Amino acid sequence: MTDPDLPPLEGQRIAVVGAGIAGLTAARKLAKAGAKVTVFEKSRGVGGRLATRRVEDAGIDHGAQYVTAREPAFKAFAARAKAEGSLAAWTPRGKDGDDEWLVGMPRMSSFVAALIDAFDVQHEKTVTAVRDDGAAFTLSLSDGSEVGGFNRVVVAIPGPQAFALLEPHGAPFDRIPEVRFGPCWALLVGFDQPVDPGFDVRRNVGALAWVAASASKPGRTGTYWVAQANPTWSAEHLEETADDVEPQLLEMLAEAIGPLPGRSFSAVHRWRYALVEKPLGVAFLMSADGRLGACGDWLIAPRVESAWASGGGLADAFIARGRATPAT
């Protein structure tokens, strides 16, 4: 007999693998439904590809460059974030399309971090395996330790990484290899003096898919630029070293914005799973018993809004399945 006044997941322990927007959206909903949620994140921060590199007193966004909101639910979420100051509109010179461009304040991950509420996020914890003994799940970590006793597990990381954890669990996770990702090499560079080529953003300049002046975004300062190579070029150079790739990207940036002045800073970052080129075409994946699931933009479309919808959809599905006996 259950108490109808209790939240539907009261007493359950749920692990979430990944602290991007999909994982944190799921974690927030599950915690509000009464679950004790622990998020395991391999990096030191949150946000996944909503990433910002700190350089002196400035931040340079080197992952997702902006967010759009098209569906009513996400528009409402974005409106709240704007009202709270964690999102702001960005109207750079060279903007295309009719969608409003939104950026996190003061960095891209800020509006994702605002999702953290009533659950624990453990950083620098890389999950290497998810084991199910029929009564509870145990997570193996890269440091050789294990954490067990979870009733349910959400895997909210890029498709190929999710498949490495979920392949032993069979259907529906055996569909994950249908997803195709494109990589991206990103260049972050600061100059000794401002550079003004007459635009703030530009797409598809040679092998560069994106070029942007960081300071054109609200809340950003400095003379920093970001250049992101397209998936084709990035794939061709994927296994090259940063030292090999950086001068090539600098040369391409010079072709895009003109002669480069002296540099105060430069770095490159490789996004192995940057862009979803072929999504799976469903909102999320969940095991038949409703205890294990996967979410992320790679299921729907290559947009931040899709990751948010996927994480929320999986959480709603878990909540709909109701209570299970807590693990001991």
Side-chain angles (χ1 to χ4, degrees), residues 175-200:
R175 293 190 57 200
I176 295 176
E178 298 173 26
V179 179
R180 187 172 66 248
F181 276 81
C184 172
W185 273 107
L187 170 70
L188 302 76
V189 57
F191 298 115
D192 294 335
Q193 60 190 56
V195 177
D196 185 2
F199 58 84
D200 297 320

Side-chain angles (χ1 to χ4, degrees), residues 205-292:
V205 187
L208 293 180
W210 178 262
V211 177
S214 180
S216 67
K217 293 183 175 182
R220 277 66 164 178
T221 59
T223 56
Y224 299 102
W225 282 76
V226 176
Q228 296 178 332
N230 64 36
T232 300
W233 190 94
S234 297
E236 292 172 353
H237 300 267
L238 187 62
E239 303 304 335
E240 294 183 16
T241 68
D243 288 341
D244 289 333
V245 167
E246 184 172 336
Q248 298 178 69
L249 292 175
L250 284 167
E251 183 177 344
M252 291 191 289
L253 179 61
E255 293 174 0
I257 67 174
L260 306 182
R263 301 193 302 275
S264 58
F265 168 82
S266 65
V268 294
H269 184 92
R270 179 178 58 192
W271 295 102
R272 190 174 290 273
Y273 307 114
L275 178 67
V276 182
E277 296 181 325
K278 180 186 176 185
L280 198 57
V282 296
F284 55 84
L285 295 174
M286 186 172 70
S287 60
D289 62 6
R291 298 170 58 238
L292 181 62

Side-chain angles (χ1 to χ4, degrees), residues 147-167:
V147 187
F150 294 105
N151 299 94
R152 303 177 190 225
V153 176
V154 171
V155 177
I157 54 181
Q161 296 171 331
F163 186 62
L165 300 181
L166 296 172
E167 181 182 13

